[in-house]
Amino acid sequence: MRIPFEWLKEFVVIEMEPHELAARLTMRGFEVESVEEVESAFDGVVVGTIAEIEKHPKADKLSLCKVDIGREILSIVCGAKNISPGDRVPVATVGARLSENFLIEKRPVRGIDSFGMLCSEKELGLSNDHSGIFILPEDFVIGSMLAHAPGIRDVVFDISVPPNRGDCLSVYGVAREVASILKQKAKLPIFRLDDGQENIKDYLSLEIHHIGACPRYVLRMIKDISIVSSPFWMRNRIMKCGMRPINSVVDVTNYVMLELGQPLHSFDYERLRGKRIEVRLTEGNDRFRTLDGQDRDLDKGDILICDGEGPVAIAGIMGGENSEISVHTKAVALESAFFNPLFIRKTARRLGIRSEASLRFEKGIDVDNVDFAAERAIFLMNAISGGTVIKGKQEIHERAEKKTISVSFARINEVIGTPIEQQEVVEALRSIDIFVIAALEGNISLSIPLFRHDIVEYMDVIEEVTRIYGFDHIPPTMPVVTVQPQKKGLKDIFTRKTKDYLISAGFSELINFSFSSLKDNENFLIPPSDERTSCVTIMNPLSKDYGIMRTMVAPGILKNVAYNINRGSKNMRFFEMGKVFISNGHGLPEEYPTLCFIMTGKEREYFWREKATDYDFFDIKGVLEGLMGQFGLDFTLMRSEEPFLNRSRAGDILVGGVKAGWIGELKDEVLEAYEIEQKCYCTELRFDIIMAKGNLKVQFQQIPRYPQAVRDFSFYADDAVPVSTLIEEIKMVSPLIQHVGVFDMFKKETRSIALRVIFQSFEDTLKDETVNGLQEIIITKLANIKGVTLRT
Amino acid sequence: MNIEELHNRVESGIASVKTIEDLKGFKLVLLGRKGLFAEYLDGLKSLNKEERKDFGREINSLKSETEGRLKGLEDHFAEEERKREQERSWIDITMPGKIPLTGRKHPITQTFDEIIRIFSSLGFSVAEGPEVETEHYNFEALNIPKDHPARDMQDTFYIEPGIVLRTHTSPMQIRVMESQLPPVRVIVPGAVYRCDHDVSHTPMFHQVEGLLVDKGVRFSDLKGILTVFIHEMFGPDTPVRFRPSYFPFTEPSAEIDIGCVICAGDGCRLCKETGWLEILGSGMVHPQVLRGVGYDPEEVSGFAFGMGVERIAMLRFGIDDIRQFYYHDTRFLSQF
């Protein structure tokens, strides 16, 4: 809400600097987001009057003005048509600077020197109006600085009004808070309405069909008016509040709304059919054209304002085209009402209309103010547009009772943690119009003003006391709480351990958006039958790229890889731990914590001592082995059917017989889809499975006191016999075999594999004969495997 | 027997030793099985008992003295050799070393870790919840009914009617309270989602929610705990300001500002000339929310708070564009 400081001062006496008041309002919960100086760049702009106008001898569209600025008469060339002798106008004299790049200089215009410029409202930064020269009010003193004229130089507060404080969506509403700060009472505007002779009952009748939807409705009338442009002071205030002036009738309704917070609507009386107004609820589907020229679909439960034949406005939201005020309007029927916020909210939301009126009705306006606002508006219309006020009003009034809330002083201090005196509590509440109506033994009953729709229980009252007492004055304390052991999060431990491991292994962490797109599934060649096509789809995505919740982490990481390759970085180790989402058809989806890591390029671009080699499958497998070791997990790799993996260099990861993920080289065509032209080795693991199977317990193993024995073996093995088979077979030979390692592998026609076996006894030093015996068994056993021969 | 001659030959021999090889040769000549001393000792056999005794003593004493001197020479040559060896193994120590490859934790994770550390030290447990959430938990249970104006504050991603991407971590307040009786002391880190994407908003971002419910918890306690947090997080001299605000699920509600980290209160672009930066939302848990989970607001009370992790990380590290967190440029990541 934009609040002009000068306007605020009409309701309360403010001697404070605007910035100080802004700070005080902020500490009251009305955050002043900005304190805007209204264009103070008027130095050198003075009030002048047009003495003479002649045609420019060399240009038809220009005129030559003699402008009296008091101390001298200036000759100024002007292109506008809306000026005539005697008009008061703003004159930017030579040397004035209207904006950073707009310095007024003496310069020839089509051969004739011009000593300054006549300004439009836009050129002065007062509005967007550039239709002609800004004609100033008659009371502006010729020769005076424009900046000193009333209403020109001002400060506007942009206040972020809390959503529950609809009562402060007006200058008067904010003035009430300011008055409470300054220990004053805000004063309503004083005026006297001159009623005419004719009675409104002869012009209009009123009927409300649903009192719950509209408990208060006031109609007033004025006739024989002429629609003109509003006076500068009114247009200026409307503009400072961020609205656009339109004409003398519409401006008044907007002005009063900004002033008092009561939205008003004016109908062109002559366009109302049947001399009557009815408020009713829509019963079926209907269609209605609002004054912005759009056809609106009405639904059951919308509040409609109707004349004798049909709808003329959607209550509280927007008027109809059929009864709109126009330049020809002669008589106005003015509506001031209280509409039930629930109805307005529902309709406004459905129609997608957020008008200044609906915004206020939705939050609830001051039902006690409905009549006063109507009177105020009719008074202003009469003052500006002339005409005759029709006597009296048509109204419906379902009386609302003020809420009563009880609370004890003790409870207030108990909740806040303060020793606030009783008298101070009472005064604080009184400053915002909450009055004690009964008091007994430390308990008080309070009456809540009708404009405070947000106060419904005693906690709301305590909030008000806290706010007014001042958060600053409340001492910080430490709570006295029950001591309880902190719950140890298993997931937290697993996650931390994994991250620490991967970071020490040279992987940097990524956090991608959980959004993905169907295109990613396509890029990864995921077939329709795959679980990963059961996507959680977003109904209102920001873009197609963010259309679904991801079912895999890898695609996001590939985008990061491509991003960095494009910026000259080719060697990467990344990991991400995040959720993937699998839809259950409807309701909440499954959310699986997932770990993905990737290696691409090489460890470093170069190192002078040795040649850097590109990563391959065994680099990433090693990282996986190390990770699994952290949690005491064994895993096996099985041939993978994942469509995005190069099958001859990849595998599914099985942990305790359950598929926990996949690992391997991504297919070139998948990489191409992300414009990556280098090999990427990647693995993705369901972290919930790792956590379920993993072990965080550490059990110390005795260190053997006896020396170990070492024997090396070399075999030829066909491709059909995986090394893992050889290792398993050897391990089964004897419990004395502690470790089997592969220390060489090369391939000519068949693979030659060199294994190192470590023998270890915990009971004694192994004798040569024992080890030799086992060596013989190993050789015989392996040589018996089809496709394996001993290399001699 | 001419001991004098033996003596002279030892002296002249030692004087002529210049290299380790000379030494080895001379040693052999002198002390070898057929060396000079052996020869002299052998010669003792032809002497009588008395002479044998005297000469023997003299020869042996000369022999051990000589051995000692030769050992000294040997050590000397070995030392020389070691020095030469060291010279030969010279390296250019100005050549670059090999830095071990280590990764970096994402700055958001680092910030999470720090926040969690501080609250853990104050006895808060950590809980996590679903990111796809029901409207009930995300809104209704938090006192934000359908069509409530407060729903306009948040632009929600919808999955289907009634199911949303959580717009805050606050739904976990409800889930935690429903799952246990008071006392409650928990923080909830996690990702949240809102339809917004510009310099200061990303459609996914991170929050930490906190909740403390017990007997007799006061608003002043909220001030106490959160002041401790801010002083731990931003330094003990950081100015803190609590100001009234509005959240549907807390009352009274407070927005917490810290003194601007850039201008220290003078006013700059970051703090929009106010000298203050909004850092936390908080408030006393609304009685309506407590009643909703079956707690009696006359029996227990508590406070809740929530903070944006990106915001805090940006201030900690001086990052000016929130989107930097999500490009994952290696030149960005390697700075943390």
Side-chain angles (χ1 to χ4, degrees):
Chain A
M1 177 85 203
R2 290 172 58 85
I3 304 286
F5 192 62
E6 289 299 322
W7 198 353
L8 201 53
K9 290 210 277 198
E10 274 188 12
F11 305 99
V12 357
V13 181
I14 305 173
E15 278 158 3
M16 213 177 256
E17 279 297 302
H19 278 93
E20 197 191 335
L21 182 64
R24 297 285 292 274
L25 276 167
T26 297
M27 290 308 283
R28 271 293 183 101
F30 292 84
E31 189 187 358
V32 179
E33 290 184 333
S34 67
V35 179
E36 197 181 299
E37 308 269 340
V38 174
E39 205 53 63
S40 52
F42 294 151
D43 291 342
V45 182
V46 298
V47 178
T49 182
I50 311 275
E52 275 174 38
I53 305 181
E54 289 170 17
K55 259 201 148 120
H56 191 292
K58 289 180 190 157
D60 285 349
K61 295 195 170 160
L62 296 178
S63 46
L64 200 55
C65 307
K66 296 270 181 258
V67 185
D68 181 357
I69 59 162
R71 60 178 187 267
E72 60 183 313
I73 294 188
L74 299 176
S75 174
I76 293 172
V77 179
C78 179
K81 291 272 164 282
N82 70 326
I83 42 173
S84 41
D87 282 348
R88 280 189 176 35
V89 289
V91 184
T93 55
V94 171
R97 188 177 284 279
L98 291 180
S99 67
E100 187 128 11
N101 303 314
F102 195 1
L103 179 70
I104 302 298
E105 291 164 307
K106 174 193 142 186
R107 63 182 184 102
V109 182
R110 303 292 289 271
I112 294 186
D113 280 346
S114 180
F115 296 84
M117 190 182 88
L118 306 186
C119 308
S120 70
E121 290 181 18
K122 186 181 176 188
E123 281 158 342
L124 291 170
L126 289 171
S127 80
N128 287 327
D129 188 353
H130 196 47
S131 60
I133 300 303
F134 176 20
I135 308 296
L136 301 172
E138 301 267 318
D139 57 355
F140 279 30
V141 179
I142 291 166
S144 65
M145 302 295 286
L146 182 67
H148 298 160
I152 291 286
R153 178 165 281 176
D154 197 359
V155 166
V156 178
F157 290 170
D158 195 354
I159 300 180
S160 157
V161 175
N164 62 333
R165 292 301 303 274
D167 61 298
C168 289
L169 290 175
S170 65
V171 181
Y172 178 66
V174 172
R176 263 194 307 237
E177 269 304 315
V178 172
S180 160
I181 293 171
L182 301 176
K183 303 196 188 318
Q184 300 176 24
K185 277 281 164 218
K187 294 179 295 285
L188 280 168
I190 298 165
F191 57 89
R192 225 191 97 230
L193 184 63
D194 291 322
D195 272 356
Q197 296 303 308
E198 292 174 283
N199 194 308
I200 193 164
K201 303 218 159 48
D202 300 327
Y203 281 85
L204 273 173
S205 67
L206 173 67
E207 193 180 349
I208 311 281
H209 290 281
H210 195 300
I211 200 82
C214 177
R216 182 87 175 104
Y217 198 98
V218 171
L219 267 177
R220 279 188 176 271
M221 273 196 65
I222 184 166
K223 66 168 195 173
D224 302 331
I225 55 157
S226 32
I227 303 283
V228 291
S229 172
S230 308
F232 171 73
W233 61 267
M234 181 175 277
R235 282 185 293 127
N236 185 242
R237 282 181 171 177
I238 289 174
M239 280 175 330
K240 279 192 277 199
C241 290
M243 292 183 78
R244 223 159 34 87
I246 294 163
N247 62 44
S248 55
V249 169
V250 177
D251 287 355
V252 165
T253 55
N254 285 335
Y255 182 85
V256 174
M257 175 181 72
L258 293 169
E259 182 179 53
L260 302 173
Q262 171 68 51
L264 301 167
H265 186 69
S266 41
F267 299 99
D268 185 333
Y269 174 73
E270 284 160 353
R271 296 170 76 182
L272 292 176
R273 300 152 296 188
K275 289 187 171 188
R276 64 186 275 109
I277 288 287
E278 278 180 40
V279 183
R280 60 175 171 82
L281 296 183
T282 329
E283 274 155 11
N285 294 337
D286 212 345
R287 191 162 252 236
F288 176 64
R289 179 166 291 185
T290 44
L291 52 77
D292 56 0
Q294 296 215 34
D295 287 324
R296 309 283 183 174
D297 287 320
L298 302 174
D299 203 0
K300 217 173 158 178
D302 293 335
I303 312 174
L304 282 185
I305 312 299
C306 300
D307 61 9
E309 289 179 27
V312 288
I314 305 175
I317 293 176
M318 203 180 274
E321 202 180 56
N322 57 5
S323 57
E324 190 187 359
I325 303 294
S326 72
V327 285
H328 310 295
T329 300
K330 290 277 169 260
V332 169
L334 181 82
E335 162 200 289
S336 182
F338 180 97
F339 298 114
N340 186 326
L342 296 173
F343 286 75
I344 302 297
R345 230 176 264 162
K346 208 171 131 240
T347 304
R349 189 168 281 263
R350 200 193 69 247
L351 295 175
I353 301 175
R354 294 295 308 271
S355 62
E356 292 284 339
S358 71
L359 179 75
R360 287 171 175 81
F361 280 124
E362 275 184 38
K363 293 173 193 289
I365 46 113
D366 183 2
V367 73
D368 278 348
N369 211 14
V370 169
D371 191 24
F372 180 75
E375 224 175 285
R376 171 84 172 143
I378 288 291
F379 166 78
L380 287 171
M381 280 183 198
N382 190 213
I384 296 164
S385 308
T388 313
V389 176
I390 308 290
K391 196 174 168 184
K393 59 194 170 191
Q394 284 286 26
E395 66 177 329
I396 296 292
H397 199 173
E398 169 89 346
R399 293 218 174 265
E401 284 299 318
K402 279 189 182 174
K403 270 169 297 200
T404 304
I405 291 174
S406 298
V407 66
S408 72
F409 292 112
R411 184 66 178 147
I412 291 174
N413 280 319
E414 199 175 279
V415 170
I416 308 177
T418 41
I420 309 178
E421 298 290 330
Q422 298 195 357
Q423 192 51 35
E424 201 171 347
V425 170
V426 172
E427 272 164 25
L429 291 172
R430 190 189 294 147
S431 80
I432 52 166
D433 304 302
I434 296 175
F435 298 101
V436 177
I437 49 173
L440 184 68
E441 291 168 357
N443 286 296
I444 40 174
S445 288
L446 301 161
S447 85
I448 311 299
L450 287 171
F451 58 85
R452 290 303 300 269
H453 300 279
D454 59 315
I455 299 179
V456 293
E457 58 176 309
Y458 79 68
M459 203 52 118
D460 302 312
V461 173
I462 294 180
E463 177 173 45
E464 291 304 293
V465 175
T466 320
R467 206 167 60 81
I468 294 162
Y469 181 71
F471 283 17
D472 274 355
H473 297 115
I474 297 163
T477 57
M478 286 309 260
V480 178
V481 292
T482 317
V483 174
Q484 54 188 150
Q486 215 184 339
K487 285 185 204 96
K488 200 165 160 187
L490 210 58
K491 185 179 176 211
D492 200 43
I493 299 169
F494 269 99
T495 305
R496 223 166 265 263
K497 216 169 161 183
T498 302
K499 287 187 178 180
D500 287 347
Y501 166 76
L502 285 168
I503 282 156
S504 66
F507 288 77
S508 283
E509 187 187 11
L510 310 177
I511 299 176
N512 278 297
F513 295 155
S514 309
F515 306 116
S516 179
S517 71
L518 292 170
K519 188 87 179 72
D520 285 318
N521 269 348
E522 234 171 80
N523 290 343
F524 269 68
L525 312 166
I526 306 291
S529 56
D530 194 294
E531 185 191 47
R532 285 165 295 199
T533 58
S534 305
C535 303
V536 174
T537 309
I538 297 161
M539 287 166 75
N540 54 334
L542 273 183
S543 73
K544 246 165 84 182
D545 291 343
Y546 296 157
I548 58 170
M549 298 303 280
R550 63 183 176 190
T551 54
M552 295 179 75
V553 176
I557 298 190
L558 284 190
K559 286 173 198 165
N560 305 140
V561 167
Y563 181 94
N564 280 294
I565 290 174
N566 286 335
R567 282 157 186 77
S569 174
K570 301 215 176 317
N571 308 313
M572 280 162 269
R573 296 182 179 205
F574 285 147
F575 80 95
E576 177 164 4
M577 292 189 82
K579 283 177 171 175
V580 300
F581 301 80
I582 304 290
S583 171
N584 284 320
H586 57 84
L588 295 184
E590 299 303 325
E591 298 183 9
Y592 297 122
T594 302
L595 168 67
C596 182
F597 52 94
I598 198 164
M599 304 173 85
T600 183
K602 45 193 156 196
E603 186 174 322
R604 58 195 85 210
E605 196 54 41
Y606 56 80
F607 185 66
W608 54 270
R609 200 176 59 198
E610 65 229 1
K611 194 173 171 293
T613 51
D614 286 346
Y615 292 133
D616 69 9
F617 177 82
F618 299 101
D619 285 305
I620 195 150
K621 187 186 172 190
V623 177
L624 178 66
E625 285 170 336
L627 175 68
M628 293 296 203
Q630 297 278 312
F631 304 120
L633 284 172
D634 284 327
F635 69 95
T636 48
L637 293 185
M638 283 238 317
R639 194 176 180 83
S640 176
E641 298 301 326
E642 294 289 4
F644 45 83
L645 292 175
N646 178 352
R647 278 178 52 169
S648 53
R649 291 169 174 214
D652 281 350
I653 302 162
L654 269 69
V655 179
V658 178
K659 180 174 170 180
W662 49 263
I663 183 167
E665 186 182 293
L666 293 170
K667 271 186 187 163
D668 288 349
E669 50 181 309
V670 173
L671 296 175
E672 274 161 25
Y674 296 91
E675 291 169 354
I676 296 169
E677 289 171 357
Q678 61 188 55
K679 297 282 181 212
C680 289
Y681 297 89
C682 189
T683 177
E684 188 160 318
L685 287 159
R686 278 270 302 277
F687 205 64
D688 51 330
I689 299 177
I690 303 298
M691 288 192 289
K693 307 257 180 203
N695 194 352
L696 293 171
K697 209 178 144 197
V698 175
Q699 176 62 57
F700 169 68
Q701 302 286 316
Q702 278 303 334
I703 294 158
R705 292 155 64 192
Y706 307 99
Q708 57 186 26
V710 179
R711 292 286 191 279
D712 290 347
F713 301 85
S714 286
F715 296 98
Y716 290 114
D718 288 353
D719 289 354
V721 186
V723 165
S724 60
T725 306
L726 304 184
I727 294 171
E728 289 313 312
E729 287 294 329
I730 294 172
K731 279 185 174 167
M732 280 190 295
V733 166
S734 161
L736 293 175
I737 294 171
Q738 202 189 31
H739 180 77
V740 184
V742 181
F743 72 88
D744 197 14
M745 200 282 283
F746 63 90
K747 187 172 179 179
K748 278 187 181 157
E749 269 152 37
T750 49
R751 289 192 299 164
S752 171
I753 294 158
L755 301 172
R756 172 161 297 173
V757 180
I758 293 170
F759 302 86
Q760 175 76 62
S761 166
F762 284 80
E763 268 117 48
D764 50 20
T765 305
L766 286 170
K767 294 193 182 65
D768 267 1
E769 305 90 85
T770 318
V771 178
N772 291 343
L774 291 172
Q775 182 178 333
E776 284 311 311
I777 300 173
I778 290 170
I779 290 169
T780 322
K781 201 171 174 202
L782 263 60
N784 274 337
I785 300 171
K786 192 169 175 288
V788 178
T789 47
L790 184 70
R791 186 174 154 224
T792 45
Chain B
M1 195 164 249
N2 191 348
I3 299 289
E4 194 64 22
E5 194 198 335
L6 177 63
H7 203 273
N8 287 341
R9 287 182 68 177
V10 167
E11 286 303 323
S12 67
I14 285 177
S16 68
V17 166
K18 296 279 178 274
T19 67
I20 184 93
E21 279 72 32
D22 294 350
L23 180 69
K24 277 180 191 160
F26 179 60
K27 216 173 157 183
L28 208 63
V29 169
L30 219 54
L31 302 164
R33 210 144 43 90
K34 290 185 174 152
L36 214 49
F37 276 98
E39 195 181 306
Y40 267 76
L41 286 171
D42 204 39
L44 289 177
K45 286 177 191 160
S46 58
L47 299 178
N48 64 33
K49 198 179 173 186
E50 214 45 31
E51 285 177 322
R52 206 189 297 169
K53 197 180 165 190
D54 289 348
F55 277 112
R57 195 185 297 125
E58 255 186 89
I59 293 168
N60 275 326
S61 131
L62 182 59
K63 188 184 174 195
S64 69
E65 185 209 318
T66 308
E67 277 172 344
R69 289 173 68 189
L70 291 182
K71 179 76 176 65
L73 271 177
E74 210 175 304
D75 288 351
H76 169 73
F77 285 127
E79 179 59 29
E80 298 257 289
E81 179 55 27
R82 264 199 298 280
K83 275 186 189 154
R84 274 195 298 278
E85 183 59 38
Q86 268 178 18
E87 291 292 308
R88 275 197 297 276
S89 67
W90 174 88
I91 54 164
D92 182 352
I93 56 167
T94 66
M95 288 290 276
K98 192 173 183 182
I99 303 166
L101 189 65
T102 54
R104 304 297 172 110
K105 250 185 199 175
H106 197 284
I108 289 176
T109 304
Q110 292 186 27
T111 308
F112 262 131
D113 287 351
E114 181 63 7
I115 296 168
I116 292 169
R117 182 192 69 75
I118 296 166
F119 283 107
S120 291
S121 76
L122 294 165
F124 286 76
S125 299
V126 177
E128 282 181 44
E131 292 174 25
V132 182
E133 192 46 287
T134 62
E135 276 192 290
H136 170 77
Y137 282 111
N138 198 71
F139 293 124
E140 277 97 27
L142 289 163
N143 207 21
I144 317 174
K146 269 205 172 50
D147 299 323
H148 190 285
R151 283 208 189 181
D152 303 341
M153 293 158 76
Q154 309 182 328
D155 302 304
T156 313
F157 285 114
Y158 276 83
I159 301 301
E160 62 185 55
I163 307 283
V164 300
L165 298 184
R166 66 174 176 193
T167 56
H168 44 188
T169 37
S170 311
M172 270 305 280
Q173 284 187 29
I174 308 299
R175 287 182 178 272
V176 168
M177 285 192 283
E178 279 182 351
S179 72
Q180 67 163 102
L181 290 171
V184 176
R185 221 183 317 167
V186 70
I187 53 167
V188 184
V192 300
Y193 303 86
R194 288 182 205 174
C195 321
D196 229 341
H197 208 175
D198 57 37
V199 191
S200 42
H201 301 89
T202 46
M204 182 182 103
F205 57 101
H206 297 83
Q207 286 187 336
V208 175
E209 187 85 6
L211 177 69
L212 183 149
V213 180
D214 208 332
K215 283 200 167 88
V217 178
R218 304 154 295 179
F219 184 76
S220 57
D221 297 332
L222 173 158
K223 268 192 89 170
I225 288 277
L226 294 177
T227 304
V228 166
F229 166 71
I230 281 169
H231 287 163
E232 280 282 311
M233 193 77 201
F234 295 100
D237 301 325
T238 311
V240 190
R241 176 173 91 166
F242 289 73
R243 88 188 131 76
S245 186
Y246 170 76
F247 305 105
F249 42 96
T250 53
E251 179 162 62
S253 303
E255 200 85 60
I256 297 151
D257 301 335
I258 59 167
C260 181
V261 294
I262 303 285
C263 65
D266 294 342
C268 66
R269 247 183 54 196
L270 179 69
C271 60
K272 290 190 254 164
E273 306 299 330
T274 62
W276 294 97
L277 296 168
E278 220 171 282
I279 207 87
L280 267 161
S282 67
M284 302 301 286
V285 182
H286 199 288
Q288 199 62 35
V289 173
L290 291 175
R291 283 191 285 267
V293 298
Y295 287 11
D296 180 357
E298 302 301 316
E299 280 293 312
V300 292
S301 56
F303 59 82
F305 52 88
M307 65 191 97
V309 179
E310 276 81 350
R311 168 97 172 144
I312 292 175
M314 286 167 86
L315 296 177
R316 271 180 97 203
F317 300 120
I319 298 165
D320 59 355
D321 180 346
I322 193 173
R323 294 171 297 192
Q324 285 286 356
F325 289 117
Y326 297 101
Y327 295 139
H328 298 129
D329 194 310
T330 49
R331 291 164 297 182
F332 173 82
L333 294 172
S334 64
Q335 293 183 37
F336 299 96

